[in-house]
Amino acid sequence: MPLFDVRTLVALTLALLAAAVVGGLALAAGAGWPAALLAAGAAGWGVLTGLPSLMRQDRAS
């Protein structure tokens, strides 16, 4: 039995990618590591809250 289905794995991968990109951009812009960590967490949270509703709409159609 797999631990995650494909949709969950895609959502987690996109959240991790968004968090890494935003954290890297914040650090490159000169922010300290606490601010970059908060920005990365916010980006990951935003992706994880937005994707399930998009996936539900995809299943309905």
Side-chain angles (χ1 to χ4, degrees):
M1 174 182 281
L3 186 59
F4 296 114
D5 64 343
V6 174
R7 288 183 183 264
T8 304
L9 202 54
V10 167
L12 291 175
T13 302
L14 288 176
L16 184 64
L17 181 63
V21 168
V22 169
L25 287 174
L27 287 173
W33 68 266
L37 189 61
L38 284 172
W45 175 79
V47 169
L48 287 178
T49 56
L51 273 181
S53 64
L54 293 174
M55 288 182 178
R56 266 187 254 116
Q57 289 174 0
D58 182 40
R59 284 186 182 177
S61 56

